[in-house]
């Protein structure tokens, strides 16, 4: 089953390169996404055995992130079929600058999209640190053409910035692999393989200083890919220049892959008795990301970039939760689910708004509830969800992290987190409310009012899921999150 999870999208991507006709190509995309989702659902019922000599396995952490990925990709595929159909024809006028550009051929775009799914799946299944590094690098290579879908000057700059910064980060993570290998070598010259289970078994014999250096390199390296401040500068450009369903995958799935890479190293540090060292660094980077996000959100004038900086904020909350320890680890994992679903809803809705208003400027969008009622309502609901307002799921996960800090006597951390969340709530509300409220402007372009089902059903499903998770957590999910948090030293 593990091999099928990787091979199905990988082979479908290759096939989509050679078939004739975009209709068949989109059918392949939907079929591969559906098959991937079905296999992932089956993994919850029937746990698949490890493969490739334990290089591939599906533990609770991997299953959680694989499930998020599979759900988001399936919904993004549904959205993409309608989006690509509307985007047919080349060259096209740039809605922002009025210049003419040609979009990427759909064969290449669809192939990269499916290979992107295969690479992210490999990240969730990898139990070997070297293989994990290869998979994370592959996600960069396959996602870069997706950012460059609209072949204009802005997307070209965003793609190069993404490639350069993430390549620097991935190079540091490679160095982290080398340091981890050195820490696993004993004086006799024998080495423990970089397989997670072997490292956990021999964690007591790891060289502590080399392990600490490896963790720091992984934190900076994968932190760059995760969008942690001050290494986040690729993220706003890439998220704002990509098609909305690609932005959704970048924010809701790709950032999680880098987060999972960090969690794997965290597991080794916990087993080696170095959890305190790692947690101090996570708390530091967590607050740095929150402060940075708050400053940029307060002065943001474009709504897609606003969502991108919101991702920086929530990545900070994730590692802060793990850094606080205890129930914070559980809260962080629950938060990763809630954030991915909510950000997916918001990016898809932002795409609907952009298609009608033809502008990314917050000041040029008003009355969305009147112009596009469904998307306007989703945008409003998304505001309350992403800012952690009850009864949405993000309130529950943020509350769990805050409660953990208080219970463990980390009062200044709790107070600072609460203050930053308050600032970000004010900044997000001031900008997103004015877009949904107010008078409807006179618009030209596509008809308003009736929105295609393919553009509103996926964000609606995501919004309902976030609402349900705020009201009720399925016992099987609670058990899986508990088991996963224990791997990180939490409970």
């Amino acid at each position: 089953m593990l091999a099928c999870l990787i091979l199905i999208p990988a082979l479908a991507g290759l096939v989509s390169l050679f078939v004739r006709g975009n209709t068949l190509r989109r059918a392949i995309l939907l079929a591969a996404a559906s098959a991937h989702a079905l296999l992932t659902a089956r993994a919850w019922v029937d746990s698949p055995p490890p493969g490739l000599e334990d290089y591939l396995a599906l533990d609770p952490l991997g299953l959680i992130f694989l499930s998020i990925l599979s759900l988001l990709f399936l919904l993004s595929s549904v959205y993409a079929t309608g989006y690509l159909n509307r985007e047919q024809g080349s060259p096209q006028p740039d809605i922002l600058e009025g210049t003419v550009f040609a979009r990427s051929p759909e064969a290449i775009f669809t192939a990269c999209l499916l290979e992107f799914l295969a690479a992210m799946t490999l990240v969730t299944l990898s139990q070997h640190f070297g293989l994990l590094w290869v998979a994370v690098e592959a996600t960069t290579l396959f996602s870069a053409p997706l950012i460059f879908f609209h072949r204009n000057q802005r997307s070209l700059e965003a793609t190069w910035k993404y490639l350069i910064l993430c390549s620097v980060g991935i190079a540091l993570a490679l160095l982290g692999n080398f340091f981890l290998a050195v820490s696993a070598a004993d004086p006799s010259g024998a080495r423990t393989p970089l397989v997670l289970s072997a490292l956990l078994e021999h964690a007591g014999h790891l060289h502590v200083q080399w392990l600490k250096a490896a963790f720091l390199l992984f934190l900076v390296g994968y932190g760059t890919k995760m969008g942690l401040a001050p290494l986040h500068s690729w993220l706003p450009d890439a998220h704002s220049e990509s098609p909305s369903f690609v932005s959704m995958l970048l924010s809701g799935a790709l950032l999680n892959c880098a987060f999972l890479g960090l969690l794997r190293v965290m597991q080794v540090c916990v087993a080696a008795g170095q959890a305190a060292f790692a947690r101090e660094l996570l708390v530091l980077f967590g607050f740095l990301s929150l402060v940075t996000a708050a400053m940029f959100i307060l002065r943001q004038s474009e709504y897609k970039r606003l969502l991108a900086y919101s991702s920086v904020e929530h990545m900070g909350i994730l590692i802060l939760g793990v850094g606080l320890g205890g129930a914070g680890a559980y809260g962080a994992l629950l938060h990763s689910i809630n954030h991915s679903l909510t950000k997916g809803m918001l990016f898809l809705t932002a795409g609907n708004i952009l298609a009608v208003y033809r502008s990314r400027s917050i000041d040029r969008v008003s009355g969305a509830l009147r112009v596009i009622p469904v998307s306007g309502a989703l945008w409003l609901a998304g505001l309350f969800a992403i800012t952690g307002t009850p009864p949405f799921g993000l309130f529950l996960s943020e509350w769990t992290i805050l409660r953990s800090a208080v219970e463990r006597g980390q009062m200044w951390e709790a107070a600072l987190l609460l203050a930053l969340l308050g600032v970000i709530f004010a900044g997000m509300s001031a900008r997103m409310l004015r877009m949904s409220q107010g008078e409807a402007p006179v618009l030209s372009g596509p008809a308003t009012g009736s929105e295609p089902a393919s553009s509103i059903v996926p964000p609606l499903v995501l919004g309902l899921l976030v609402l349900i998770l705020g009201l009720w957590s399925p016992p099987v999910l609670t058990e899986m999150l508990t088991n996963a948090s224990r791997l990180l030293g939490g409970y």
Side-chain angles (χ1 to χ4, degrees):
M1 183 193 295
L2 298 184
C4 290
L5 280 164
I6 301 168
L7 290 176
I8 286 176
L11 294 176
L14 288 176
V15 171
S16 68
L17 270 178
F18 301 105
V19 299
R20 291 188 176 182
N22 289 331
T23 302
L24 179 57
R25 192 169 288 114
R26 292 165 199 163
I28 291 172
L29 174 64
L30 282 173
S34 301
H36 191 277
L38 287 173
L39 285 173
T40 302
R42 184 183 168 189
W44 281 83
V45 180
D46 184 14
S47 182
L52 286 179
E53 299 180 349
D54 292 342
Y55 277 37
L56 297 179
L58 197 53
D59 62 2
L61 274 175
L63 182 55
I64 289 169
F65 289 107
L66 175 66
S67 303
I68 298 171
L69 163 64
S70 193
L71 175 63
L72 289 187
F73 194 88
L74 178 60
L75 293 174
S76 74
S77 299
V78 174
Y79 189 95
T81 53
Y83 179 91
L84 293 171
N85 188 49
R86 294 191 294 274
E87 286 267 322
Q88 284 192 103
S90 179
Q92 299 178 2
D94 189 324
I95 62 173
L96 299 180
E97 298 178 354
T99 56
V100 176
F101 68 90
R103 70 170 193 171
S104 177
E106 192 166 326
I108 295 175
F109 182 80
T110 306
C112 289
L113 198 59
L114 286 163
E115 301 302 337
F116 186 37
L117 173 62
M120 289 192 289
T121 302
L122 182 57
V123 172
T124 63
L125 302 182
S126 296
Q127 295 287 304
H128 188 283
F129 279 88
L131 184 60
L132 174 66
W133 181 88
V134 170
V136 173
E137 173 64 2
T139 63
T140 304
L141 297 177
F142 288 123
S143 56
L146 305 180
I147 299 170
F148 191 46
F149 177 67
H150 294 127
R151 295 185 170 181
N152 53 35
Q153 186 64 32
R154 296 188 313 279
S155 61
L156 179 63
E157 291 177 6
T159 304
W160 274 112
K161 183 185 281 189
Y162 171 68
L163 280 172
I164 292 171
L165 290 178
C166 288
S167 296
V168 171
I170 207 71
L172 292 172
L174 178 61
L175 201 55
N177 274 307
F178 294 155
F179 279 38
L180 184 61
V182 174
S183 76
D186 65 26
S188 67
R191 294 181 182 276
T192 302
L194 294 184
V195 177
L196 184 61
S197 58
L199 288 170
L200 296 179
E201 183 180 350
H202 298 91
H205 303 291
L206 297 179
H207 191 287
V208 171
Q209 297 307 319
W210 284 104
L211 177 60
K212 287 182 176 179
F215 180 81
L216 185 58
L217 288 166
F218 276 120
L219 177 58
V220 177
Y222 288 148
T224 303
K225 186 82 175 224
M226 191 178 167
L228 296 177
L231 316 162
H232 64 283
S233 57
W234 66 268
L235 193 148
D237 291 341
H239 283 46
S240 59
E241 294 303 330
S242 304
S244 293
F245 60 95
V246 174
S247 304
M248 161 185 170
L249 291 174
L250 292 176
S251 181
L254 179 63
L255 302 186
N256 282 347
C257 289
F259 181 46
L260 180 58
L262 278 179
L263 295 183
R264 294 303 189 196
V265 195
M266 184 68 190
Q267 283 184 258
V268 178
C269 288
V270 170
Q274 301 304 315
F277 167 78
R279 283 175 178 150
E280 287 179 5
L281 288 172
L282 292 179
V283 169
L284 174 64
F285 274 80
F287 277 124
L288 190 56
S289 298
L290 277 160
V291 170
T292 303
M295 289 191 299
F296 280 96
I297 284 173
L298 287 176
R299 63 181 188 181
Q300 198 47 243
S301 60
E302 292 188 5
Y303 53 89
K304 285 195 76 176
R305 293 180 74 87
L306 182 74
L307 297 182
Y309 281 110
S310 169
S311 295
V312 176
E313 170 211 353
H314 287 281
M315 290 305 105
I317 293 175
L318 290 186
I319 65 164
L320 182 61
V322 177
L324 291 174
Y330 178 96
L333 295 175
L334 178 60
H335 197 76
S336 68
I337 298 173
N338 287 319
H339 169 256
S340 296
L341 300 180
T342 308
K343 198 52 66 67
M345 173 179 67
L346 280 170
F347 268 119
L348 294 185
T349 306
N352 297 343
I353 294 172
L354 180 60
V356 172
Y357 285 84
R358 321 294 284 178
S359 173
R360 293 199 301 239
S361 170
I362 293 172
D363 291 338
R364 300 185 67 176
V365 176
S366 64
L369 280 169
R370 290 184 172 87
V371 178
I372 38 177
V374 177
S375 291
L378 286 170
W379 188 251
L380 194 58
L383 162 64
F384 293 122
I386 201 66
T387 52
T389 306
F392 293 99
L394 282 159
F395 168 76
L396 195 60
S397 50
E398 289 179 357
W399 171 255
T400 303
I401 294 171
L402 266 172
R403 191 191 65 191
S404 171
V406 173
E407 288 177 348
R408 296 170 69 85
Q410 297 162 305
M411 302 307 293
W412 77 264
E413 288 93 341
L416 183 56
L417 174 58
L418 202 55
L420 288 169
L421 289 178
V423 171
I424 291 169
F425 175 81
M428 296 285 289
S429 299
R431 283 148 187 80
M432 292 176 69
L433 279 176
R434 77 173 65 162
M435 293 172 61
S436 57
Q437 305 292 330
E439 294 296 323
V442 178
L443 299 169
S444 60
T448 59
S450 61
E451 301 175 75
S454 62
S455 67
I456 57 174
V457 171
L460 187 59
V461 169
L462 291 168
L464 288 173
L465 288 174
V466 177
L467 180 60
I468 290 171
L469 284 178
L471 299 171
W472 174 69
S473 179
V476 64
L477 177 62
T478 302
E479 182 183 354
M480 192 62 68
L481 288 170
T482 303
N483 293 336
S485 63
R486 284 175 181 155
L487 297 176
L488 303 169
Y491 53 83

